Amino acid sequence: MTQAQQNNQNIAALLLEQRRYPPSADFAAQANAGEGFYDQDPDTFWENEGRNRLSWFTPFTTLKQWDPPFAKWYLGGKINACYNCVDRHVENGLGAKVAYHWEGENPADRLTITYADLQQRVVKAANAFKHLGIGKGTHVGIYMGMVPELPVTMLALTRIGAPFTVVFGGFSADSLGGRLNDMQCEHLITQDGAWRRGKPNPLKPIADEAMAMAPSVKSCVVLRRAGNEVAMTDGRDHWWSDLVDGQSDDAAACPCEPMDSEDLLFLMYSSGTTGKPKGVVHTTAGYLCGTATTHHYIFDIKPETVYWCAADIGWITGHSYIVFGPLVNAATSVMYESTPDYPDKDRWWDIIERYKVTVLYCAPTAIRTHMKWGPEYAHKHDLSSLKVLGSVGEPINPEAWVWYRDHIGGGRTPVVDTWWQTENGMILVSPLPGLTTLKPGSATKPFIGVQAAVFDNDGKEIPPGEGAGFMVVKGPWPAMLRGLYNDEARYRDVYWSRFENTYLAGDGARVDEDGDFWLMGRIDDVMNVSGHRLSTIEIESALVDHPEVAEAAVTARSDAITGQAVVAYVILKGGKDGSPEKSAELREHVAKVIGPIAKPANIVFTPELPKTRSGKIMRRLLKDVAENRTLGDTTTLADASVVDEIAQRAKLEADKEG
Ligand code: WTA
């Protein structure tokens, strides 16, 4: 039996076992969502959530307006995100409740931040930002690691009505500079460096390079965290402590700015199918309501819940499910600064045991990494506090799902596989713990009011059980993107041009006989490496940007741990041959241009690329080569021998890798 047949057989066996996973009767009885949850009228549901879950300065008058492809939600309302996340909880007597158990990379570095502490920190930061001239409508960039000052900065900015963009700390100076320019940010908040496995990972030096390309940035605030040496530019750069520490923490003297429901809250840049990242627009009320509502039901949040989303705030998962959703719900969260293997591979399980975490939300890549390390690290700790486990960012293979439930969840906990995207803002497809019958590998059912479907090529809905097609959403949902920043044409083109008035997600999917959704990965030139979205074209342009590269084509192959891995085929100028040194140099070059997350796992040097007679690179064939598959149809190739040559070289490269 081949490996592939064996895998299929294993998966089939797992699926047969799926009925092992009904909601347990105990759990169902106390879960937030009960029988009849899905029978509610969606508009009434979202109307009630909007009125009851959020606090308004002026209540909204109209639930939604749908003028495809543009949606507005909770029209006519005045609201402030920071007020909903922080101040009202203190006013309601929850000041002593823990908002974040923050844990630094050094296990001795711990902070307990209550809602009252959070309010004081946010007010001080907001006063400092005002002092710099930041106010309603000022655009601000944020480039920080997982420190408490990151959510504090986001909240302080929303308090005074300043939209921001957080750029993940692993991005390069070019990526940061490009985003600062695109949003025309006037200020940047950063830190000296972030801790990574005992060493400072410099951020301010990268921010300096980025600011050199972004003339709109007038001032930069720098938090001291890792102690690495940084240059400070007089008149532009300020230490966080100089600016913030002496400010007043009197909340009444620094009120929350009333914002329109549809005012810009933040931009999140995301890789698309062309080189330039897209500025995904999220506005205030719909985003807050969508994230907080899904957070409440899908993670079954209770007053006593200790919730941990082990993502990075630099991505949408962190925005929606570390910052805004949990804080609107006055939840207690864990926030951790660094990697799962520092100082040892049981760091996560140690954290869960110490804080008695009840909900863990992480990416399949992390689960597969823990699988590779072995369950003994988890078994050393008491994980019996866990009640719900969540997964996000990539398809979760049934083996990983079952391992997660058995070894981390002690065979007791529901696993909620949540499907959504940067553009969606909130989870769109997910089981509800205690209610939905779970299936390892399936995200199961659309959330209330989410009109998800699978379309065929002609835009006809594929009925349950009848095959795979395009994942689409037929109407608006509260936290959906409101557009791409300054690029209406691209917004229409990317998401709304394939099918009429229907959102194209870019994923393949199928719905089974029970109406459960199975997400099958990207159908476009977007790759998903460790749950990070990367664009093939972006990496190709980074490679071609190197002075010695003539041409490059990038594709993904599957990888047991990271889901997918980047494979680059490169032609060097002047017909030069590649070498391991050149390969290392090109990988570093990609890290410099985009960020270390985009480094190709393999580089195959080749004298030619397979092209059609019209000169288009046939990525499909390169993918076959990368995956070691029999080659697909090569009849449209200009020169069919090219692929054999590349396959030979790819094999040599793979053998070298061992
Ligand atoms: C993939 C992350 C299968 C998908 C929140 C999507 C998933 C892309 C799942 C969005 C899941 C996310 N099952 N695939 N549960 N969750 N994806 O924008 O391909 O970083 O299009 O948002 O991740 O990635 P993004």
Side-chain angles (χ1 to χ4, degrees):
M1 195 185 296
T2 66
Q3 187 59 44
Q5 282 167 332
Q6 179 67 48
N7 287 347
N8 285 341
Q9 215 171 56
N10 292 347
I11 291 170
L14 284 169
L15 295 183
L16 278 178
E17 262 194 273
Q18 71 191 224
R19 301 297 164 185
R20 263 175 64 199
Y21 304 107
S24 85
D26 280 8
F27 191 85
Q30 27 154 327
N32 280 326
E35 288 299 332
F37 184 80
Y38 288 108
D39 303 334
Q40 301 172 81
D41 168 58
D43 282 355
T44 313
F45 174 83
W46 285 112
E47 170 97 20
N48 290 338
E49 291 292 339
R51 300 232 181 264
N52 305 329
R53 195 168 295 283
L54 301 178
S55 299
W56 298 86
F57 298 143
T58 308
F60 62 91
T61 49
T62 309
L63 176 67
K64 67 178 180 204
Q65 185 184 306
W66 179 223
D67 181 10
F70 294 102
K72 289 185 177 163
W73 282 79
Y74 304 116
L75 290 88
K78 291 280 183 211
I79 191 166
N80 182 283
C82 180
Y83 181 75
N84 275 273
C85 290
V86 184
D87 295 69
R88 62 168 181 160
H89 302 321
V90 178
E91 289 166 14
N92 293 338
L94 294 176
K97 187 170 185 192
V98 176
Y100 291 113
H101 291 289
W102 179 80
E103 183 145 322
E105 177 176 275
N106 179 337
D109 241 351
R110 287 180 205 155
L111 264 180
T112 306
I113 303 172
T114 63
Y115 276 92
D117 297 334
L118 187 61
Q119 185 183 40
Q120 291 180 350
R121 285 168 171 263
V122 166
V123 169
K124 282 180 157 199
N127 280 323
F129 295 159
K130 282 204 246 179
H131 174 79
L132 282 179
I134 301 176
K136 189 170 180 174
T138 312
H139 289 186
V140 180
I142 304 176
Y143 185 59
M144 298 176 93
M146 289 288 284
V147 290
E149 287 81 358
L150 171 51
V152 164
T153 296
M154 294 160 77
L155 292 163
L157 292 169
T158 63
R159 183 178 198 89
I160 58 181
F164 57 81
T165 189
V166 180
V167 179
F168 173 63
F171 275 119
S172 66
D174 284 358
S175 301
L176 173 59
R179 287 153 170 81
L180 294 172
N181 264 330
D182 192 72
M183 194 181 180
Q184 284 291 294
C185 292
E186 292 180 45
H187 305 266
L188 175 64
I189 321 294
T190 187
Q191 65 192 67
D192 53 358
W195 286 111
R196 267 296 167 276
R197 300 199 170 89
K199 290 202 209 65
N201 175 37
L203 292 177
K204 173 65 164 52
I206 294 174
D208 284 333
E209 272 185 66
M211 283 187 283
M213 303 171 217
S216 58
V217 180
K218 295 186 298 215
S219 85
C220 175
V221 182
V222 188
L223 175 80
R224 221 327 145 236
R225 170 64 191 143
N228 52 308
E229 202 160 313
V230 297
M232 296 291 277
T233 302
D234 259 358
R236 186 196 68 184
D237 299 350
H238 312 268
W239 288 109
W240 175 283
S241 55
D242 291 347
L243 214 59
V244 178
D245 290 358
Q247 298 289 343
S248 153
D249 60 11
D250 178 1
C254 178
C256 296
E257 186 73 38
M259 305 295 286
D260 191 90
S261 290
E262 284 297 332
D263 274 339
L264 176 62
L265 186 62
F266 65 86
L267 297 182
M268 168 61 71
Y269 285 87
S270 178
S271 288
T273 50
T274 72
K276 192 169 166 276
K278 307 173 284 201
V280 172
V281 174
H282 284 295
T283 58
T284 308
Y287 175 79
L288 286 179
C289 192
T291 55
T293 303
T294 48
H295 178 254
H296 173 80
Y297 291 104
I298 293 170
F299 300 110
D300 201 39
I301 302 298
K302 301 279 173 34
E304 65 278 10
T305 298
V306 180
Y307 164 86
W308 182 19
C309 169
D312 192 292
I313 293 178
W315 305 107
I316 193 70
T317 304
H319 280 54
S320 300
Y321 296 106
I322 300 178
V323 182
F324 292 108
L327 292 178
V328 165
N329 290 333
T332 293
S333 293
V334 168
M335 179 176 166
Y336 171 52
E337 184 177 29
S338 191
T339 55
D341 55 353
Y342 193 89
D344 203 354
K345 299 187 175 71
D346 66 341
R347 183 64 187 272
W348 276 23
W349 319 126
D350 177 48
I351 291 176
I352 290 177
E353 181 173 22
R354 263 188 296 114
Y355 297 108
K356 302 206 172 5
V357 169
T358 60
V359 182
L360 174 66
Y361 189 33
C362 68
T365 291
I367 300 163
R368 289 191 295 262
T369 304
H370 287 294
M371 273 173 87
K372 186 184 73 182
W373 291 339
E376 55 273 22
Y377 293 98
H379 294 170
K380 279 201 282 190
H381 295 274
D382 176 6
L383 306 181
S384 61
S385 54
L386 287 169
K387 286 189 153 65
V388 178
L389 300 176
S391 163
V392 60
E394 316 152 62
I396 179 165
N397 46 316
E399 293 95 321
W401 193 107
V402 170
W403 188 93
Y404 193 28
R405 174 174 163 117
D406 286 352
H407 292 287
I408 308 308
R412 297 168 284 112
T413 56
V415 173
V416 292
D417 171 11
T418 64
W419 177 84
W420 59 296
Q421 311 174 293
T422 300
E423 293 85 344
N424 306 152
M426 66 190 231
I427 296 168
L428 292 190
V429 181
S430 169
L432 292 173
L435 186 66
T436 313
T437 299
L438 304 167
K439 294 179 185 174
S442 167
T444 71
K445 300 275 191 292
F447 197 73
I448 293 196
V450 175
Q451 302 168 57
V454 176
F455 275 11
D456 68 12
N457 254 320
D458 306 321
K460 280 218 309 282
E461 191 162 338
I462 302 178
E466 289 187 17
F470 300 91
M471 182 72 184
V472 300
V473 190
K474 291 187 284 184
W477 61 95
M480 75 182 265
L481 77 168
R482 301 303 197 253
L484 293 177
Y485 191 60
N486 281 341
D487 204 344
E488 182 179 330
R490 193 171 176 196
Y491 174 61
R492 288 180 182 278
D493 180 52
V494 174
Y495 307 104
W496 304 94
S497 61
R498 185 79 176 71
F499 304 118
E500 204 183 337
N501 296 344
T502 300
Y503 171 83
L504 178 76
D507 280 1
R510 68 185 174 83
V511 181
D512 69 16
E513 298 76 5
D514 303 326
D516 287 318
F517 281 72
W518 297 77
L519 277 300
M520 298 158 58
R522 302 288 309 189
I523 47 163
D524 50 16
D525 289 331
V526 175
M527 298 171 289
N528 193 325
V529 178
S530 299
H532 300 151
R533 258 166 88 170
L534 299 170
S535 124
T536 49
I537 319 257
E538 215 179 331
I539 301 178
E540 284 169 7
S541 353
L543 284 164
V544 176
D545 173 67
H546 187 281
E548 287 171 63
V549 173
E551 268 189 273
V554 164
T555 179
R557 63 166 167 79
S558 17
D559 183 276
I561 303 290
T562 59
Q564 291 192 309
V566 179
V567 182
Y569 299 87
V570 169
I571 307 182
L572 291 177
K573 282 187 185 154
K576 281 216 203 91
D577 280 335
S579 64
E581 293 73 38
K582 196 53 66 193
S583 179
E585 186 182 324
L586 294 183
R587 295 178 74 238
E588 276 319 306
H589 184 73
V590 173
K592 194 172 171 308
V593 178
I594 304 173
I597 47 167
K599 275 192 204 175
N602 313 94
I603 295 186
V604 179
F605 293 100
T606 163
E608 282 301 337
L609 288 170
K611 292 192 183 147
T612 60
R613 287 178 195 98
S614 61
K616 235 172 102 95
I617 295 174
M618 292 187 72
R619 287 201 185 74
R620 178 174 56 74
L621 288 178
L622 291 174
K623 202 165 167 53
D624 288 343
V625 172
E627 299 277 17
N628 226 340
R629 283 193 297 246
T630 5
L631 297 179
D633 183 11
T634 55
T635 47
T636 50
L637 272 181
D639 175 4
S641 66
V642 170
V643 209
D644 293 332
E645 167 81 23
I646 294 176
Q648 283 289 332
R649 287 172 181 253
K651 192 170 173 316
L652 282 177
E653 163 73 22
D655 291 348
K656 263 191 307 197
E657 294 268 313

